[in-house]
Amino acid sequence: MYRVFGDWMDQGHTRFPENFQTEASRVKQLEFYRRPYGLSLCHGANGVPAVVGALNGLIGFSQSAEKPNEYTIKPELLHLRWITSSIPVKEGFISVKLNATGESTIEIPNGCIVKVITKGEGKTLTLRKPGTYKFKLID
């Protein structure tokens, strides 16, 4: 990890580039398409930590290693009152509207199984049919 990101951070950069050239000189690291300083330092990859944090942390989304059409949602909203997301999966989109208190909804496409793990007693809802489902995060 340090071999790829460490040198970049040691140079004082706060954003990640479009193209990593870990063994290149500093001048070459900023070159892109043979243009000196042609490398974008504000590439979309800068959004990755926020996306990963929201998707895996707040929404608690994961895909089964054994069954590629099976997904789990285990929300942890922390201090947030709500969060809405549309998660692209190979079957379509899993859309969630999560509320810390009150009713939450999830819409799942055909061909996938989604397990929703709620707080409290850790009750698991297993959803197998396409459609919109309602549930509460806290029992």
Side-chain angles (χ1 to χ4, degrees):
M1 181 83 123
Y2 183 82
R3 188 179 68 74
V4 175
F5 297 111
D7 181 56
W8 192 252
M9 299 306 285
D10 287 347
Q11 292 177 42
H13 298 287
T14 57
R15 299 180 179 196
F16 295 110
E18 293 178 90
N19 182 29
F20 282 106
Q21 299 179 46
T22 57
E23 308 302 320
S25 69
R26 289 184 185 205
V27 170
K28 279 286 192 193
Q29 287 177 359
L30 294 173
E31 183 180 285
F32 204 54
Y33 298 121
R34 297 187 186 152
R35 293 179 308 176
Y37 304 103
L39 184 70
S40 170
L41 300 181
C42 58
H43 192 262
N46 294 316
V48 169
V51 169
V52 170
L55 186 62
N56 298 118
L58 297 170
I59 298 168
F61 176 82
S62 62
Q63 182 178 17
S64 169
E66 294 82 34
K67 299 177 184 176
N69 70 325
E70 186 173 291
Y71 308 94
T72 300
I73 304 283
K74 187 177 180 183
E76 180 54 63
L77 298 187
L78 303 175
H79 66 283
L80 298 176
R81 288 185 268 162
W82 61 270
I83 190 168
T84 299
S85 181
S86 187
I87 305 162
V89 294
K90 68 183 181 317
E91 298 83 10
F93 288 90
I94 297 173
S95 298
V96 294
K97 294 180 182 178
L98 303 172
N99 290 295
T101 59
E103 195 170 76
S104 295
T105 61
I106 183 168
E107 182 177 356
I108 66 170
N110 189 36
C112 68
I113 298 168
V114 178
K115 293 182 178 183
V116 180
I117 302 172
T118 60
K119 284 188 175 184
E121 297 176 16
K123 184 171 52 173
T124 300
L125 306 170
T126 302
L127 312 172
R128 298 177 188 280
K129 295 181 181 179
T132 302
Y133 298 87
K134 296 179 181 186
F135 61 95
K136 291 188 177 188
L137 292 182
I138 299 177
D139 304 358

